[in-house]
């Protein structure tokens, strides 16, 4: 039951009706049943993994909280009785134990994820060495449970927050299971923080017409992106990189550009469907995309692309690494030798690089993903290190930050940097990625772009490409309007009302209906679905 | 509060109606099952209720080999070919039910070709859709879907836009279909009562079936089922026939059918065995192995019409309006047969149906187009590119 199937929409409709009928205090039970039901239908075999993660995190959270409160109370009770040394010694011990509980939960759950995700990668890598000694590690034929990355990250965020005493641990295991498995987001996120999502899931929202309208509009828009653009281009992306040596550099470059479009339409389309479904139930899930290809630098790009993963990594990896004792020590040493600027920039840059290598490895068990992480992290590291130099150059060249030509240059430059990263994504391996990049430059011919043969090569007929082009221009226009809506400097308007769909839903009913009908029938007629079409899975569902 | 809810309900209802109307319009615009099948089935529903004396059920043989207006002209009974290319016996029962739901024929004639298809072939989406997507959407239709279509695919039959939406990419084909439909519907009733031919004696549109057709166990089951439907509907006069083909039905198969049919109390005639009496000239009266051209059609129609008139006591009295309409159809059909006859002698080998534009200008345009497409095809093939002709003439009937 894919998010783009009719069955899923019917499932959502039934759940919504039951949710609306159910008494307010039991509405979270409906969501839990719907989430478990969805997981059972799609991936019954692995439902135990979700329950295991939820159970261990829930128990870990309660245990951790209890330990924290007991130890804190004990410290309080010993006030005036302990010497400073005794107090510090106890606090150190308590911190160690807290860390131990938290680490146990993290190691167990990340361990399961890592084992399932990376076992084959390590086995294959080791087998290259072992074959010289006649040994071999067996391939266990492991499969990833649906959404394991997403629910593991979400749950681990919770346990770290409990460790940090950000909020109280959840008392009800069933409620916690709902937080871990909420069905609209289980396949590919967004990864939510407990503090943002949990209360919305548990409080039993009233079904509002406004939410219904906005939700339906967002779902339809998601379908528009996924079925008209992404799925129409899926075959090109899944075929050409694997056989890239058969094609000219022009075709390879066009394929990379197509991938940039397909990936965005696929992932953001899927997220729109997820967020739209959640909104029907009155639940506002975090945004995952903010027009990433409008970014002026790579750092901004990562604040606009897969925002929730970026947010998670910043909160639970980047800051802890950058603020860790070794990094602080490194800063101090650098300050003494190279001054203030270097001491600030270098540790942050290294922490960025580590974070992006993790991002790369999260994408998959392959050296090309490590290269993807190094590329992105490296660019951020270099740009951070050279930031002041860039500022000097701009000053010398008298370039204002508001100069539109300069902004256009920045946007294109950032897109090209991102595009290089995509080569690692689509190529079968690291060497292939390098070869594809090479031919994209060395064997690129503008004249080839104008030949009919190009459409044959990229396996998209001219008319289909025309539809993709129209849909892409529509997406671009919508993105520009969204950007303007959100940039409105009116603090009296809540951010939820600055969205384009909120603006549309405030217009006259005829206008709202016309927009919906246009979108709906565009999807129905021009969408890539139905008998004879091969529905493509969401790209990020594999991660 | 009540007023607000009422307003919302009204708005949502209006939106729902708009969705429904647009959905139906898009479905109508984008559906494409082949104009031949669509016209034969569509025209059946355009016949005034309870005006048909003889029901004909079958596959492509019926619209190629038998002309209802010519039979009327000869013997005075009204009839209609509810048939389409590749119609399989599996659907004869529902075709019959559909016929009986609108007409009250005195005799039902069933051509047995549909029983010679394999089970796999009978479930091929292309031919199944010719029937299910063109018949009226009623309980008979829903019953056939639930009975014969795999559960996971049923939704695509209930909402046929799911299947046909990609036809937006074939605007030339869809435009041609619309033009054909407009021409088809320009008269009050169908003028030729389900008709299709090729103007040739040796068409390039060959049938793939080689040798004598066979009736498999599945075909026999379908025949039994058709008989059950006849009984269930209380039809007394049923005549199972085999119209002449170049590849004749072997005696064993024919005898087997005869036994099953006559055991059930119905009649069976193998007209293939009477080819000489009919006056069929195999070199001149067929356009391919399984279908007659207009010359064969005229001879076959005359023979079958005479046979029916002689063997069944049909009441051929009709209202003045019905007779006037049928007279007009018969005269029109005779005129068209004359035109097509001369074109057949020229061996132009073009496909025609009751919806066609029979003018010389249209014919010249089709011939010119055919030449143009041939060149395009050769050029594309030379470049190794795929050639797709949206207006491809009716494909040859599928093999059994």
């Amino acid at each position: 039951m894919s998010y783009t199937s009719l069955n899923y929409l019917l499932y959502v409709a039934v759940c919504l009706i039951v949710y609306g009928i159910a008494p307010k205090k039991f509405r979270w039970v409906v969501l839990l049943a719907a989430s478990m039901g969805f997981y059972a239908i799609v991936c019954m075999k692995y439902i135990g993994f979700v329950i295991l993660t939820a159970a261990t995190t829930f128990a870990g959270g309660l245990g951790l909280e209890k330990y924290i409160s007991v130890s804190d109370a004990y410290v309080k009770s010993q006030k005036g009785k302990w010497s400073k040394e005794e107090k510090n010694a106890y606090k150190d011990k308590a911190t160690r134990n807290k860390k131990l509980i938290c680490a146990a939960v993290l190691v167990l759950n990340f361990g399961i994820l890592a084992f399932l995700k990376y076992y084959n990668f390590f086995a294959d890598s080791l087998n290259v060495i072992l074959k010289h000694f006649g040994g071999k590690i067996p391939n266990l034929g492991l499969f990833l449970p649906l959404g394991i990355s997403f629910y593991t990250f979400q749950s681990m965020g919770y346990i770290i927050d409990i460790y940090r005493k950000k909020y109280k641990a959840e008392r009800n295991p069933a409620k916690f299971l709902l937080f871990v498995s909420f069905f609209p987001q289980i396949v590919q996120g967004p990864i939510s923080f407990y503090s943002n999502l949990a209360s919305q899931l548990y409080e039993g929202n009233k079904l509002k017409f406004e939410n219904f309208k906005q939700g339906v509009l967002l779902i339809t828009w998601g379908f528009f992106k996924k079925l008209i653009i992404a799925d129409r281009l899926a075959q090109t992306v899944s075929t050409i990189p694997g056989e890239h040596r058969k094609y000219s550099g022009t075709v390879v470059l066009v394929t990379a550009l197509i991938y940039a479009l397909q990936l965005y339409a696929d992932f953001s389309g899927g997220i729109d469907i997820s967020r739209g479904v959640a909104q029907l139930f009155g639940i506002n899930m975090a945004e995952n995309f903010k027009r990433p290809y409008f970014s002026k630098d790579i750092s901004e790009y990562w604040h606009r692309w897969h925002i929730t993963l970026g947010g998670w990594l910043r909160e639970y990896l980047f800051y802890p690494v950058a603020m860790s004792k070794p990094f602080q020590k490194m800063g101090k040493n650098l300050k003494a030798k190279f001054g203030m600027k270097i001491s600030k920039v270098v540790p942050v840059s290294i922490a960025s690089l580590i974070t992006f290598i993790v991002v790369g490895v999260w994408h998959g068990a392959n050296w090309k993903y490590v290269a993807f992480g190094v590329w992105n992290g490296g660019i951020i590291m270099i740009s951070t290190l050279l930031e002041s130099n860039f500022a000097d150059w701009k000053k010398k060249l008298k370039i204002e930050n508001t100069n539109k030509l300069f902004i256009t240059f920045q946007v294109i430059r950032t897109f090209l940097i991102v595009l290089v990263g995509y080569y690692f994504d689509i190529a079968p391996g690291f060497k292939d990625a390098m070869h594809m990049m090479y031919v994209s430059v060395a064997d690129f011919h503008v004249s080839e772009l104008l030949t009919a043969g190009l459409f044959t090569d990229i396996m998209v007929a001219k008319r289909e490409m025309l539809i993709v082009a129209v849909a892409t221009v529509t997406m671009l226009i919508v993105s520009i309007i969204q950007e303007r809506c959100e940039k409105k400097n009116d603090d009296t308007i809540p951010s939820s009302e600055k969205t384009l769909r909120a603006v549309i839903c405030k217009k006259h009913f005829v206008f709202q209906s016309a927009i919906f009908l246009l979108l709906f029938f565009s999807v129905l007629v021009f969408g890539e679905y139905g008998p004879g079409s091969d529905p493509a899975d969401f790209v990020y569902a594999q991660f | 509060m009540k007023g607000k809810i009422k307003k919302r309900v009204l708005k949502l209802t209006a939106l729902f109606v708009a969705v429904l109307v647009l959905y139906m319009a898009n479905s109508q615009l984008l559906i494409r099952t082949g104009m031949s099948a669509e016209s034969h089935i569509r025209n059946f529903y355009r016949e005034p209720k309870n005006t048909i004396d003889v029901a004909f059920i079958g596959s492509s043989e019926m619209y190629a080999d038998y002309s209802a207006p010519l039979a009327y002209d000869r013997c005075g009974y009204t009839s209609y070919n509810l048939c389409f290319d590749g119609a399989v016996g599996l659907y004869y029962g529902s075709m019959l039910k559909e016929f009986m739901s609108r007409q009250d024929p005195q005799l039902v004639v069933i051509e047995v070709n549909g029983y010679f298809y394999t089970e796999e072939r009978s479930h091929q989406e292309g031919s199944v859709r010719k029937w299910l997507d063109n018949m009226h959407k009623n309980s008979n239709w829903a019953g056939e879907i639930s009975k014969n279509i795999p559960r996971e695919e049923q939704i695509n039959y209930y909402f046929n836009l799911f299947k046909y939406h990609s036809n937006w990419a074939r605007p030339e084909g869809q435009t041609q279909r619309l033009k054909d439909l407009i021409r088809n519907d320009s008269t009050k009733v169908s003028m030729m009562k389900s008709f299709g031919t090729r103007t040739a004696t040796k068409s390039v549109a060959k049938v793939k079936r080689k040798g004598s057709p066979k009736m498999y166990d599945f075909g026999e089951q379908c025949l039994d089922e058709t008989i059950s439907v006849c009984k269930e509907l209380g039809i007394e006069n049923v005549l199972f026939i085999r119209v002449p083909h170049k590849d004749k039905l072997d005696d064993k198969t024919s005898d087997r059918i005869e036994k099953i049919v006559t055991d059930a109390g119905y009649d069976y005639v193998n007209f293939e065995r009477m080819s000489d009496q009919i006056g069929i000239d195999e070199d001149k009266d067929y356009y391919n192995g399984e279908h007659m051209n207009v010359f064969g059609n005229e001879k076959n129609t005359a023979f079958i019409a005479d046979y029916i008139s002689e063997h069944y006591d049909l009441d051929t009295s009709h209202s003045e309006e019905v007779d006037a309409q049928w007279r007009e159809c018969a005269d029109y059909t005779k005129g068209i047969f004359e035109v097509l006859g001369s074109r057949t002698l020229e061996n132009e080998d073009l496909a025609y149906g009751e919806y066609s534009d029979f003018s010389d200008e249209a014919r010249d345009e089709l011939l010119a187009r055919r030449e143009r497409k041939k060149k395009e095809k050769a050029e594309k093939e030379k470049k190794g590119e795929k050639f797709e002709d949206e207006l491809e003439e009716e494909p040859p009937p599928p093999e059994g």
Side-chain angles (χ1 to χ4, degrees), chain A residues 158-203:
Chain A
Y158 165 82
I159 196 78
I160 297 169
D161 283 348
I162 297 294
Y163 170 79
R164 290 174 179 175
K165 295 197 262 184
K166 274 196 170 179
Y167 38 75
K168 290 260 172 209
E170 176 54 53
R171 277 357 193 212
N172 185 331
K175 280 187 175 176
F176 188 74
L177 182 60
L178 169 59
F179 165 71
V180 175
S181 65
F182 183 44
F183 75 97
Q185 66 169 66
I186 190 83
V187 175
Q188 54 173 0
I191 301 163
S192 300
F193 288 112
Y194 179 83
S195 52
N196 293 342
L197 184 64
S199 60
Q200 297 189 70
L201 293 174
Y202 306 154
E203 68 195 11

Side-chain angles (χ1 to χ4, degrees), chain A residues 262-284:
Chain A
Q262 189 244 353
L263 183 66
Y264 175 64
D266 183 279
F267 195 12
S268 70
I271 292 291
D272 285 345
I273 295 170
S274 298
R275 295 183 68 232
V277 169
Q279 188 160 11
L280 297 178
F281 293 92
I283 294 157
N284 279 313

Side-chain angles (χ1 to χ4, degrees), chain A residues 144-160:
Chain A
L144 281 181
L146 180 76
I148 186 168
S149 284
F150 297 97
Y151 71 70
T152 304
F153 273 60
Q154 191 159 299
S155 313
M156 296 309 99
Y158 165 82
I159 196 78
I160 297 169

Side-chain angles (χ1 to χ4, degrees), chain B residues 64 76 126 188 259 288 295 313-314 331 362:
Chain B
K188 201 174 173 189
K259 184 167 186 322
N288 66 15
F295 299 125
D313 186 19
L314 300 178
D331 292 344

Side-chain angles (χ1 to χ4, degrees), chain B residues 190-251:
Chain B
S190 163
M191 298 302 282
M192 299 181 81
K193 316 292 179 196
S194 188
F195 166 75
T197 195
R198 288 189 76 95
T199 44
T201 48
K202 228 177 208 172
S203 173
V204 289
K206 290 181 179 128
V207 283
K208 290 181 189 163
R209 180 156 59 200
K210 282 178 185 161
S212 185
K214 299 270 177 295
M215 186 163 74
Y216 305 93
D217 289 347
F218 179 75
E220 202 170 313
Q221 279 171 31
C222 293
L223 175 57
D224 289 338
E225 204 178 300
T226 311
I227 290 169
S228 302
V229 173
C230 291
K231 299 276 181 200
E232 185 190 312
L233 295 171
I235 307 169
E236 284 175 16
N237 294 321
V238 184
L239 169 63
F240 286 83
I241 63 168
R242 177 62 173 165
V243 291
H245 290 68
K246 274 189 184 178
D247 287 323
K248 309 274 182 271
L249 198 59
D250 62 67
D251 286 343

Side-chain angles (χ1 to χ4, degrees), chain B residues 366-381:
Chain B
L366 280 175
L367 289 171
R369 191 187 172 281
R370 183 162 73 186
E371 288 310 308
R372 212 168 50 238
K373 287 289 170 186
K374 253 187 207 169
K375 274 184 196 165
E376 269 177 41
K377 190 180 177 189
E379 275 172 25
K380 287 234 174 186
E381 280 173 353

